[in-house]
Coordinates of all heavy atoms in Angstrom, one line a residue:
L1 N -8.7 -11.0 -8.9 CA -10.3 -11.2 -8.5 C -10.8 -9.8 -8.2 O -10.2 -9.1 -7.4 CB -10.3 -12.0 -7.4 CG -11.7 -12.7 -6.9 CD1 -12.1 -13.6 -8.0 CD2 -11.8 -13.2 -5.6
A2 N -11.8 -9.5 -8.9 CA -12.5 -8.2 -8.8 C -13.2 -8.2 -7.5 O -13.8 -9.0 -6.9 CB -13.6 -8.1 -9.9
V3 N -13.1 -7.0 -6.7 CA -13.7 -6.7 -5.6 C -15.0 -6.1 -5.8 O -15.0 -5.0 -6.5 CB -12.8 -5.9 -4.6 CG1 -13.5 -5.5 -3.3 CG2 -11.5 -6.5 -4.3
V4 N -16.1 -6.6 -5.2 CA -17.4 -5.9 -5.4 C -17.4 -4.6 -4.8 O -17.0 -4.5 -3.5 CB -18.5 -6.9 -4.8 CG1 -19.8 -6.1 -5.1 CG2 -18.4 -8.3 -5.5
E5 N -17.8 -3.7 -5.4 CA -17.8 -2.3 -5.0 C -19.0 -2.1 -4.0 O -19.9 -2.7 -4.1 CB -18.0 -1.2 -6.1 CG -16.7 -1.2 -6.9 CD -16.7 0.0 -7.8 OE1 -17.5 1.0 -7.5 OE2 -16.0 0.0 -8.7
I6 N -18.6 -1.2 -2.9 CA -19.9 -1.0 -1.9 C -20.1 0.5 -1.9 O -19.2 1.3 -2.3 CB -19.4 -1.5 -0.5 CG1 -18.2 -0.9 -0.1 CG2 -19.6 -3.0 -0.5 CD1 -17.9 -1.4 1.4
H7 N -21.2 0.9 -1.5 CA -21.5 2.3 -1.5 C -21.1 3.0 -0.1 O -20.9 2.4 0.8 CB -23.0 2.5 -1.7 CG -23.4 2.0 -3.0 ND1 -23.1 2.6 -4.3 CD2 -24.1 0.8 -3.4 CE1 -23.5 2.0 -5.3 NE2 -24.1 0.9 -4.8
C8 N -21.0 4.4 -0.2 CA -20.8 5.1 0.9 C -21.6 4.8 2.2 O -21.0 4.6 3.3 CB -20.9 6.6 0.6 SG -19.6 7.3 -0.6
R9 N -22.8 4.5 2.0 CA -23.7 4.3 3.2 C -23.3 3.0 3.8 O -23.2 2.8 5.1 CB -25.1 4.2 2.8 CG -25.8 5.5 2.6 CD -27.2 5.4 2.1 NE -27.8 6.7 1.9 CZ -28.4 7.4 2.9 NH1 -28.3 7.0 4.1 NH2 -28.7 8.7 2.7
A10 N -22.9 2.0 3.0 CA -22.4 0.8 3.7 C -21.0 0.9 4.4 O -20.8 0.4 5.4 CB -22.2 -0.4 2.6
V11 N -20.2 1.8 3.7 CA -18.9 2.2 4.5 C -19.2 2.8 5.8 O -18.6 2.5 6.8 CB -18.1 3.0 3.5 CG1 -16.8 3.6 4.3 CG2 -17.8 2.2 2.2
F12 N -20.1 3.8 5.7 CA -20.5 4.4 7.1 C -20.9 3.6 8.0 O -20.6 3.5 9.3 CB -21.4 5.6 7.0 CG -20.9 6.7 6.0 CD1 -21.7 7.3 5.1 CD2 -19.7 7.2 6.2 CE1 -21.4 8.4 4.3 CE2 -19.2 8.3 5.5 CZ -20.1 8.9 4.5
R13 N -21.8 2.7 7.6 CA -22.4 1.7 8.6 C -21.3 0.9 9.2 O -21.4 0.4 10.4 CB -23.5 0.8 7.8 CG -24.6 0.2 8.7 CD -25.6 -0.4 7.8 NE -25.1 -1.4 6.8 CZ -25.4 -1.2 5.5 NH1 -26.3 -0.2 5.1 NH2 -24.9 -2.1 4.6
E14 N -20.3 0.5 8.5 CA -19.3 -0.4 9.0 C -18.1 0.2 9.6 O -17.2 -0.4 9.9 CB -19.0 -1.5 7.9 CG -20.0 -2.2 7.4 CD -20.6 -3.2 8.2 OE1 -20.0 -3.5 9.4 OE2 -21.8 -3.6 8.3
M15 N -18.1 1.5 9.5 CA -16.8 2.3 9.9 C -16.3 2.0 11.2 O -15.2 1.9 11.4 CB -17.2 3.9 9.8 CG -16.0 4.8 9.9 SD -15.0 4.8 8.5 CE -16.0 6.0 7.3
S16 N -17.2 1.9 12.2 CA -16.7 1.6 13.6 C -16.1 0.3 13.7 O -15.2 0.0 14.3 CB -17.7 2.0 14.7 OG -18.6 1.1 14.5
N17 N -16.7 -0.6 13.0 CA -16.3 -2.1 13.1 C -14.9 -2.1 12.4 O -14.1 -2.8 12.7 CB -17.4 -2.9 12.3 CG -18.5 -3.3 13.2 OD1 -18.6 -3.0 14.4 ND2 -19.7 -3.5 12.5
Y18 N -14.9 -1.4 11.3 CA -13.6 -1.3 10.5 C -12.4 -0.8 11.3 O -11.4 -1.4 11.3 CB -13.8 -0.4 9.3 CG -12.5 -0.2 8.5 CD1 -12.2 -1.1 7.5 CD2 -11.7 0.8 8.6 CE1 -11.1 -1.1 6.7 CE2 -10.6 1.1 8.0 CZ -10.3 0.2 6.9 OH -9.1 0.3 6.1
I19 N -12.7 0.2 12.1 CA -11.7 0.9 12.9 C -11.3 -0.1 14.1 O -10.2 -0.2 14.5 CB -12.1 2.3 13.5 CG1 -12.1 3.2 12.2 CG2 -11.2 2.7 14.6 CD1 -12.8 4.5 12.5
E20 N -12.4 -0.6 14.7 CA -12.2 -1.6 15.7 C -11.7 -2.9 15.3 O -11.3 -3.8 16.2 CB -13.4 -1.8 16.6 CG -13.9 -0.4 17.3 CD -15.4 -0.5 17.7 OE1 -16.0 -1.6 17.5 OE2 -15.9 0.5 18.1
G21 N -11.5 -3.2 14.0 CA -10.9 -4.5 13.5 C -11.9 -5.6 13.6 O -11.7 -6.7 13.5
E22 N -13.1 -5.3 13.8 CA -14.2 -6.4 14.0 C -15.1 -6.3 12.8 O -16.1 -5.9 12.7 CB -15.2 -6.0 15.1 CG -14.4 -6.0 16.5 CD -15.4 -5.5 17.7 OE1 -16.5 -5.2 17.5 OE2 -14.9 -5.4 18.8
I23 N -14.3 -6.8 11.7 CA -15.0 -6.8 10.4 C -14.5 -8.0 9.5 O -13.3 -8.4 9.8 CB -14.8 -5.5 9.7 CG1 -15.5 -5.4 8.5 CG2 -13.3 -5.4 9.3 CD1 -15.6 -3.8 8.0
A24 N -15.3 -8.5 8.7 CA -14.8 -9.6 8.0 C -13.7 -9.2 7.0 O -13.9 -8.1 6.4 CB -15.9 -10.3 7.2
P25 N -12.7 -10.1 6.7 CA -11.7 -9.7 5.7 C -12.1 -9.2 4.5 O -11.6 -8.3 3.9 CB -10.8 -11.0 5.6 CG -11.0 -11.8 7.0 CD -12.5 -11.3 7.3
E26 N -13.2 -9.8 4.0 CA -13.7 -9.6 2.7 C -14.2 -8.1 2.6 O -14.1 -7.4 1.6 CB -14.8 -10.5 2.1 CG -15.3 -10.3 0.8 CD -16.6 -11.0 0.5 OE1 -17.6 -10.7 1.4 OE2 -16.8 -11.7 -0.4
L27 N -15.0 -7.8 3.6 CA -15.6 -6.5 3.9 C -14.6 -5.4 4.0 O -14.6 -4.3 3.4 CB -16.5 -6.4 5.0 CG -17.5 -5.1 5.1 CD1 -18.1 -4.8 3.7 CD2 -18.5 -5.3 6.1
R28 N -13.4 -5.7 4.7 CA -12.4 -4.7 4.9 C -11.7 -4.5 3.7 O -11.5 -3.3 3.5 CB -11.4 -5.5 5.9 CG -10.1 -4.8 6.0 CD -9.1 -5.5 6.9 NE -9.5 -5.2 8.4 CZ -9.2 -4.1 9.1 NH1 -8.5 -3.1 8.6 NH2 -9.6 -4.0 10.3
E29 N -11.6 -5.6 2.8 CA -11.0 -5.2 1.5 C -11.7 -4.4 0.6 O -11.2 -3.4 0.0 CB -10.7 -6.6 0.8 CG -9.9 -6.5 -0.5 CD -9.7 -7.8 -1.2 OE1 -10.0 -8.8 -0.5 OE2 -9.0 -7.9 -2.3
R30 N -13.1 -4.6 0.8 CA -14.2 -3.7 0.1 C -14.0 -2.3 0.4 O -14.0 -1.4 -0.4 CB -15.4 -4.2 0.0 CG -15.9 -5.6 -0.6 CD -17.2 -5.8 -0.5 NE -17.5 -7.1 -0.9 CZ -18.7 -7.6 -0.8 NH1 -19.8 -6.8 -0.5 NH2 -19.1 -8.9 -1.3
M31 N -13.8 -2.1 1.8 CA -13.9 -0.7 2.3 C -12.5 -0.1 1.9 O -12.4 1.1 1.5 CB -14.0 -0.8 3.7 CG -15.6 -1.1 4.2 SD -15.7 -1.2 5.9 CE -15.6 0.6 6.3
E32 N -11.5 -0.9 1.9 CA -10.1 -0.2 1.5 C -10.1 0.1 0.1 O -9.6 1.2 -0.3 CB -9.0 -1.2 1.8 CG -8.7 -1.2 3.4 CD -7.9 -2.4 3.8 OE1 -7.5 -3.2 3.1 OE2 -7.5 -2.5 5.0
K33 N -10.7 -0.6 -0.7 CA -10.8 -0.3 -2.1 C -11.6 1.0 -2.4 O -11.5 2.0 -3.2 CB -11.6 -1.4 -3.0 CG -10.7 -2.6 -3.2 CD -9.6 -2.4 -4.2 CE -8.8 -3.7 -4.4 NZ -7.6 -3.3 -5.2
H34 N -12.7 1.1 -1.4 CA -13.6 2.3 -1.5 C -12.8 3.6 -1.1 O -12.9 4.8 -1.8 CB -14.8 2.0 -0.6 CG -15.8 3.2 -0.8 ND1 -16.9 3.2 -1.6 CD2 -15.9 4.4 -0.1 CE1 -17.5 4.4 -1.6 NE2 -17.0 5.0 -0.7
F35 N -12.1 3.5 0.0 CA -11.2 4.6 0.4 C -10.3 5.0 -0.6 O -9.9 6.3 -0.5 CB -10.5 4.1 1.7 CG -11.5 4.1 2.9 CD1 -11.3 2.8 3.8 CD2 -12.5 4.9 3.3 CE1 -12.2 2.6 4.9 CE2 -13.4 4.6 4.3 CZ -13.3 3.4 5.2
E36 N -9.8 4.1 -1.5 CA -8.8 4.6 -2.5 C -9.4 5.7 -3.4 O -8.5 6.4 -3.9 CB -8.2 3.5 -3.2 CG -7.3 2.4 -2.3 CD -7.1 1.3 -3.1 OE1 -7.4 1.0 -4.4 OE2 -6.3 0.2 -2.6
K37 N -10.5 5.7 -3.5 CA -11.1 6.6 -4.5 C -12.4 7.4 -4.1 O -12.9 8.2 -4.9 CB -11.7 5.7 -5.8 CG -12.8 4.6 -5.4 CD -13.0 3.8 -6.6 CE -14.1 2.7 -6.3 NZ -14.2 1.8 -7.3
C38 N -12.6 7.3 -2.8 CA -13.7 8.2 -2.2 C -13.1 9.1 -1.1 O -12.8 8.6 0.0 CB -14.9 7.4 -1.7 SG -16.1 8.4 -1.0
R39 N -12.9 10.3 -1.4 CA -12.3 11.2 -0.5 C -13.2 11.5 0.6 O -12.7 11.8 1.8 CB -11.8 12.6 -1.2 CG -10.6 12.4 -1.9 CD -10.1 13.8 -2.5 NE -11.0 14.5 -3.3 CZ -11.0 15.7 -3.6 NH1 -9.9 16.4 -3.3 NH2 -11.9 16.2 -4.5
H40 N -14.6 11.6 0.3 CA -15.5 11.8 1.4 C -15.4 10.7 2.6 O -15.3 11.2 3.6 CB -16.9 11.7 0.8 CG -17.9 12.1 1.7 ND1 -18.1 13.5 2.0 CD2 -19.0 11.4 2.2 CE1 -19.2 13.5 2.8 NE2 -19.6 12.3 3.0
C41 N -15.3 9.4 2.1 CA -15.2 8.5 3.1 C -13.9 8.4 3.7 O -13.8 8.2 4.9 CB -15.6 7.1 2.5 SG -17.2 6.8 2.2
T42 N -12.9 8.8 3.1 CA -11.5 8.8 3.6 C -11.5 9.9 4.8 O -10.8 9.6 5.8 CB -10.4 9.2 2.6 OG1 -10.6 8.1 1.6 CG2 -9.1 9.0 3.1
A43 N -12.1 11.0 4.4 CA -12.0 12.0 5.5 C -12.8 11.7 6.7 O -12.4 12.0 7.8 CB -12.8 13.4 4.8
I44 N -14.0 11.1 6.5 CA -14.7 10.6 7.8 C -14.0 9.5 8.3 O -13.9 9.5 9.6 CB -16.2 10.1 7.2 CG1 -16.9 11.3 6.8 CG2 -16.8 9.4 8.5 CD1 -18.2 10.9 6.3
L45 N -13.1 8.6 7.7 CA -12.4 7.6 8.4 C -11.3 8.3 9.1 O -11.1 8.0 10.3 CB -11.8 6.7 7.3 CG -10.8 5.7 7.8 CD1 -11.5 4.7 8.8 CD2 -10.1 4.9 6.7
D46 N -10.6 9.3 8.6 CA -9.6 10.0 9.4 C -10.1 10.7 10.6 O -9.6 10.6 11.6 CB -8.9 11.0 8.4 CG -8.0 10.3 7.4 OD1 -7.7 9.1 7.6 OD2 -7.7 11.0 6.4
G47 N -11.2 11.4 10.4 CA -11.9 12.1 11.5 C -12.2 11.1 12.7 O -12.1 11.4 13.8
T48 N -12.9 9.9 12.3 CA -13.3 9.1 13.2 C -12.1 8.4 14.0 O -12.1 8.3 15.1 CB -14.2 8.0 12.5 OG1 -15.3 8.5 11.7 CG2 -14.7 6.9 13.5
R49 N -11.1 8.2 13.2 CA -9.9 7.6 13.9 C -9.4 8.5 14.9 O -8.8 8.1 15.9 CB -8.8 7.2 12.7 CG -9.0 5.8 12.1 CD -8.0 5.6 11.2 NE -7.9 4.1 10.9 CZ -7.5 3.7 9.7 NH1 -7.1 4.5 8.8 NH2 -7.5 2.5 9.4
N50 N -9.3 9.9 14.5 CA -8.8 10.9 15.5 C -9.6 10.8 16.7 O -9.2 10.9 17.8 CB -8.8 12.3 14.8 CG -7.7 12.4 13.8 OD1 -6.7 11.7 13.8 ND2 -7.9 13.4 12.9
V51 N -11.0 10.7 16.6 CA -11.8 10.7 17.6 C -11.5 9.5 18.7 O -11.4 9.7 19.9 CB -13.2 10.8 17.2 CG1 -14.2 10.5 18.4 CG2 -13.6 12.2 16.7
V52 N -11.4 8.4 17.9 CA -11.1 7.2 18.7 C -9.9 7.3 19.4 O -9.8 6.9 20.6 CB -11.1 5.9 17.7 CG1 -10.7 4.7 18.3 CG2 -12.5 5.7 17.2
R53 N -8.8 7.8 18.8 CA -7.4 8.0 19.4 C -7.5 8.9 20.6 O -7.0 8.7 21.7 CB -6.5 8.4 18.4 CG -5.0 8.2 18.9 CD -4.0 8.7 17.9 NE -4.0 10.2 18.0 CZ -4.3 10.9 16.8 NH1 -4.4 10.2 15.6 NH2 -4.4 12.2 16.8
I54 N -8.2 10.1 20.5 CA -8.2 11.1 21.4 C -9.1 10.7 22.6 O -8.6 10.7 23.8 CB -8.8 12.6 20.9 CG1 -7.9 13.0 19.8 CG2 -9.1 13.4 22.0 CD1 -8.4 14.1 19.0
V55 N -10.2 9.9 22.4 CA -11.0 9.5 23.4 C -10.4 8.4 24.1 O -10.4 8.4 25.3 CB -12.4 9.1 22.8 CG1 -13.2 8.4 23.9 CG2 -13.1 10.2 22.1
G56 N -9.8 7.6 23.4 CA -9.0 6.4 23.9 C -7.9 6.8 24.9 O -7.5 6.1 25.7
E57 N -7.2 7.9 24.6 CA -6.2 8.4 25.4 C -6.6 8.9 26.7 O -6.0 8.8 27.7 CB -5.3 9.4 24.6 CG -4.4 8.8 23.6 CD -3.7 9.8 22.6 OE1 -4.0 11.0 22.9 OE2 -3.0 9.5 21.8
V58 N -7.8 9.5 26.7 CA -8.3 10.2 27.8 C -9.2 9.4 28.7 O -9.1 9.5 29.9 CB -9.0 11.5 27.4 CG1 -9.5 12.3 28.6 CG2 -8.1 12.5 26.6
F59 N -10.1 8.7 28.1 CA -11.1 7.9 28.9 C -10.9 6.4 28.4 O -10.6 6.1 27.3 CB -12.5 8.4 28.5 CG -12.7 9.8 28.7 CD1 -12.8 10.7 27.6 CD2 -12.9 10.3 30.0 CE1 -13.0 12.0 27.8 CE2 -13.1 11.7 30.2 CZ -13.2 12.6 29.0
P60 N -11.2 5.6 29.4 CA -11.4 4.2 28.9 C -12.7 4.1 28.2 O -13.7 4.7 28.4 CB -11.7 3.5 30.4 CG -12.0 4.5 31.4 CD -11.5 5.9 30.9
L61 N -12.7 3.4 27.1 CA -13.9 3.3 26.3 C -14.9 2.6 26.9 O -14.7 1.5 27.4 CB -13.5 2.4 24.9 CG -12.5 3.2 24.0 CD1 -12.1 2.4 22.8 CD2 -13.0 4.5 23.6
P62 N -16.1 3.1 26.9 CA -17.3 2.5 27.3 C -17.7 1.3 26.5 O -17.3 1.3 25.3 CB -18.4 3.7 27.4 CG -17.9 4.5 26.3 CD -16.4 4.6 26.2
T63 N -18.4 0.4 27.1 CA -18.7 -0.9 26.4 C -19.6 -0.6 25.2 O -19.6 -1.3 24.2 CB -19.3 -1.9 27.2 OG1 -20.5 -1.3 27.9 CG2 -18.4 -2.4 28.3
N64 N -20.4 0.6 25.2 CA -21.4 0.8 24.1 C -20.7 1.8 23.2 O -21.4 2.5 22.4 CB -22.6 1.3 24.7 CG -22.4 2.7 25.5 OD1 -21.3 3.0 25.8 ND2 -23.6 3.4 25.6
F65 N -19.4 1.9 23.2 CA -18.7 2.9 22.4 C -18.9 2.7 21.0 O -19.3 3.6 20.2 CB -17.1 3.1 22.5 CG -16.5 3.9 21.8 CD1 -16.5 5.3 22.1 CD2 -15.8 3.6 20.6 CE1 -15.8 6.3 21.3 CE2 -15.0 4.6 20.0 CZ -15.2 5.8 20.3
G66 N -18.9 1.6 20.4 CA -19.1 1.2 19.1 C -20.5 1.6 18.7 O -20.7 2.3 17.6
A67 N -21.4 1.2 19.6 CA -22.8 1.7 19.2 C -23.1 3.2 19.2 O -23.6 3.7 18.2 CB -23.9 1.1 20.3
R68 N -22.4 3.9 20.0 CA -22.6 5.4 20.0 C -21.9 6.0 18.8 O -22.4 6.9 18.2 CB -22.0 5.9 21.2 CG -22.9 5.6 22.4 CD -22.6 6.6 23.6 NE -21.3 6.6 24.1 CZ -20.9 7.2 25.2 NH1 -21.7 8.0 25.8 NH2 -19.7 7.1 25.6
L69 N -20.8 5.3 18.4 CA -20.1 5.8 17.2 C -20.9 5.6 16.1 O -20.9 6.4 15.1 CB -18.7 5.1 17.1 CG -17.7 5.7 16.1 CD1 -17.5 7.1 16.2 CD2 -16.4 4.8 16.1
R70 N -21.5 4.4 15.9 CA -22.4 4.1 14.8 C -23.4 5.1 14.7 O -23.9 5.5 13.6 CB -22.8 2.8 14.9 CG -22.0 1.6 14.3 CD -22.6 0.2 14.2 NE -22.8 -0.3 15.6 CZ -21.7 -1.0 16.1 NH1 -20.5 -1.1 15.6 NH2 -21.8 -1.5 17.3
Q71 N -24.1 5.5 15.9 CA -25.2 6.4 15.8 C -24.7 7.8 15.3 O -25.3 8.5 14.4 CB -25.7 6.6 17.2 CG -26.9 7.5 17.3 CD -27.6 7.7 18.6 OE1 -27.3 6.9 19.5 NE2 -28.5 8.6 18.7
R72 N -23.5 8.2 15.7 CA -22.9 9.5 15.4 C -22.8 9.5 13.8 O -23.0 10.3 13.1 CB -21.6 9.6 16.1 CG -20.9 11.0 15.7 CD -21.6 12.3 16.2 NE -21.0 13.4 15.7 CZ -21.5 14.2 14.8 NH1 -22.7 13.7 14.2 NH2 -21.0 15.2 14.3
L73 N -22.1 8.3 13.3 CA -22.0 8.2 11.9 C -23.2 8.2 11.1 O -23.2 8.7 10.1 CB -21.2 7.0 11.7 CG -19.7 7.1 12.1 CD1 -19.0 5.6 12.1 CD2 -18.9 8.0 11.3
S74 N -24.2 7.5 11.7 CA -25.6 7.5 11.0 C -26.2 8.9 10.8 O -26.7 9.3 9.8 CB -26.5 6.6 11.6 OG -27.1 7.2 12.9
E75 N -25.8 9.8 11.8 CA -26.2 11.3 11.7 C -25.4 11.7 10.5 O -26.0 12.7 9.9 CB -26.0 11.9 13.1 CG -26.9 11.5 14.1 CD -26.5 12.0 15.5 OE1 -25.5 12.7 15.7 OE2 -27.1 11.5 16.5
L76 N -24.1 11.5 10.5 CA -23.2 12.2 9.4 C -23.9 11.7 8.1 O -23.9 12.5 7.2 CB -21.9 11.6 9.6 CG -21.0 12.4 10.6 CD1 -19.7 11.7 10.7 CD2 -20.8 13.8 10.2
V77 N -24.3 10.4 8.0 CA -24.8 10.0 6.7 C -26.1 10.7 6.2 O -26.2 11.0 5.1 CB -25.2 8.5 6.9 CG1 -25.9 7.9 5.6 CG2 -23.9 7.6 7.1
K78 N -26.9 11.2 7.2 CA -28.1 11.9 6.9 C -27.7 13.1 6.2 O -28.6 13.6 5.4 CB -29.0 12.2 8.1 CG -29.6 10.9 8.7 CD -30.3 11.3 9.8 CE -30.8 10.0 10.6 NZ -31.1 10.3 12.0
T79 N -26.6 13.7 6.5 CA -26.2 15.0 5.9 C -25.3 14.9 4.8 O -24.8 15.9 4.2 CB -25.5 15.9 7.0 OG1 -24.4 15.3 7.6 CG2 -26.6 16.2 8.1
S80 N -24.9 13.6 4.4 CA -24.0 13.4 3.3 C -24.6 13.4 1.9 O -25.7 12.8 1.9 CB -23.2 12.1 3.5 OG -22.5 12.1 4.7
P81 N -23.9 13.8 0.9 CA -24.5 13.7 -0.4 C -24.5 12.0 -0.8 O -23.7 11.4 -0.4 CB -23.6 14.5 -1.3 CG -22.2 14.5 -0.5 CD -22.6 14.4 1.0
E82 N -25.6 11.8 -1.4 CA -25.7 10.5 -2.0 C -24.6 10.3 -3.2 O -24.7 11.1 -4.0 CB -27.1 10.3 -2.5 CG -27.5 8.7 -2.7 CD -27.7 8.2 -1.4 OE1 -28.5 8.5 -0.7 OE2 -27.0 7.1 -1.3
T83 N -24.0 9.2 -3.2 CA -23.1 9.0 -4.3 C -23.3 7.7 -4.8 O -23.7 6.8 -4.1 CB -21.6 9.2 -3.8 OG1 -21.3 8.3 -2.7 CG2 -21.3 10.6 -3.6
Ligands
ZN101 ZN1 -17.5 6.8 -0.1

């Protein structure tokens, strides 16, 4: 079954949900397919995961962490090349 491709912007938008595991299985599958061939998104995924891990080790995560991460990622998207 073919997986419908999604664009980088959609991946960025869902990045924090993906990392937090709060994402529909179908969307997760689409994002994993995207990561397989998009180094740009893979780099941001790795960087975001590092931030989540480091912050999680030092501070208890605030309840609005996901929202703040999404805002940070949306700032990244503004400076990202359109693909
Ligand atoms: Zn991408």
Side-chain angles (χ1 to χ4, degrees):
L1 193 71
V3 175
V4 179
E5 292 191 17
I6 56 176
H7 296 287
C8 291
R9 280 180 183 275
V11 172
F12 292 139
R13 198 168 56 232
E14 301 296 337
M15 188 78 75
S16 66
N17 289 334
Y18 177 84
I19 290 168
E20 292 164 7
E22 296 173 358
I23 194 168
E26 185 201 51
L27 187 53
R28 169 178 291 274
E29 189 178 354
R30 288 186 192 180
M31 289 179 72
E32 284 169 353
K33 290 284 182 189
H34 187 89
F35 291 134
E36 284 175 10
K37 58 188 177 185
C38 182
R39 282 191 299 172
H40 187 68
C41 287
T42 304
I44 291 180
L45 175 66
D46 288 344
T48 306
R49 274 183 167 152
N50 285 339
V51 169
V52 169
R53 194 184 68 240
I54 291 163
V55 172
E57 284 172 358
V58 179
F59 305 105
L61 292 179
T63 54
N64 65 340
F65 180 75
R68 289 201 294 185
L69 187 56
R70 275 190 285 278
Q71 182 176 351
R72 178 76 188 98
L73 289 169
S74 73
E75 289 166 8
L76 283 172
V77 171
K78 286 174 193 165
T79 59
S80 298
E82 195 75 55
T83 52

